[in-house]
Structure formats: structure tokens, C-alpha cells
Amino acid sequence: MNDKTPTPDEKIKELFGEVIFSYTRAEALADGVLIDVSEIAEGIGFKIPTAINERLFYALGGGTPDQDPDRCHVELLLHEAGLAWADRKEDDGTPGGNYGFFEWLDQPAVIALSGGDDGNAVFSICFLAEL
């Protein structure tokens, strides 16, 4: 009899089979699909790494990942996202959840908490249509 309890990875592999494609957060950051704004976010009180997606970055006025938008615009976005995060609710209306929703440039946007490549918490901010 096998007394070994399967790990979560083993359970997932058993249910779904081998991974056929993966795209890590590090790869998305390197490719410019995500733009790291952690330094600015930390300066206004965020405690975990934070990135915005490429489309939102361009909407803030950034031309390329090497050409940052006005820092003030990023800070305003982060303030709005932070307020949405503080006000997030579960489906039953109780405080909590992994998503905070807000409007940015007349479009629905979201701040999402998830596990990064190493399993540590990270924030990602994007337009809702990009989620």
C-alpha cells in the first residue's frame, strides 16, 4: 500500500496531464507584456511587486518599456487601484477576494492578486477586457 500523499503538482498532473504551454510572469516582464511599476507602487504604500499590462501602459502615455509615461499618471492609476483593492468584496458581499474593480480612462479595470512565478504574492493591473 502506498501511504504517500500526492503533492498539489502531482494532483494537477493527474487531472490534466502534462503541461503543453506555460508563460511565466518573468517572461511577460522580459517581453514587455507586463511593465514592472513596483518601485513607484512601493513609494505610495504597496507592499508586494506590482505590474501593469502593456495596453494600460500605453494608455498612460508610455511609448515603449524604455520610455516611461509621466510618473504622476502611474501614481494616479496606482491610487485608484489601491482604493479598489481596499474596497474589494466576495460574491456574497463580504470583504475580500482576489480582484478589485475600478474605472480608468472610462474603461473597466482590475487589480488582481495572484501567485508569482515563485509562489509569492504579486499584483497585476489591467483593463478588464485584458484579463
Side-chain angles (χ1 to χ4, degrees):
M1 182 172 152
N2 184 357
D3 291 334
K4 183 181 177 233
T5 303
T7 67
D9 284 345
E10 291 169 336
K11 288 179 185 177
I12 290 170
K13 190 174 181 181
E14 181 181 317
L15 285 171
F16 299 106
E18 294 291 330
V19 174
I20 56 172
F21 178 79
S22 72
Y23 189 63
T24 67
R25 184 177 180 88
E27 290 170 327
L29 288 164
D31 292 345
V33 172
L34 288 176
I35 312 300
D36 187 357
V37 294
S38 297
E39 183 180 315
I40 298 170
E42 186 178 313
I44 64 168
F46 281 60
K47 305 280 188 224
I48 61 175
T50 304
I52 59 177
N53 79 330
E54 180 180 32
R55 185 166 164 248
L56 186 50
F57 176 81
Y58 290 128
L60 289 171
T64 68
D66 298 330
Q67 178 188 355
D68 293 334
D70 183 348
R71 183 182 181 100
C72 181
H73 291 138
V74 176
E75 288 176 352
L76 287 171
L77 168 71
L78 291 170
H79 278 289
E80 287 295 316
L83 290 171
W85 181 253
D87 195 39
R88 71 197 185 286
K89 304 277 190 271
E90 295 283 0
D91 290 339
D92 65 4
T94 59
N98 290 339
Y99 301 95
F101 300 95
F102 62 104
E103 290 283 319
W104 187 257
L105 302 175
D106 297 323
Q107 296 183 59
V110 62
I111 178 170
L113 178 70
S114 62
D117 296 342
D118 58 4
N120 291 327
V122 295
F123 277 130
S124 299
I125 304 170
C126 64
F127 288 119
L128 189 57
E130 306 279 324
L131 188 60

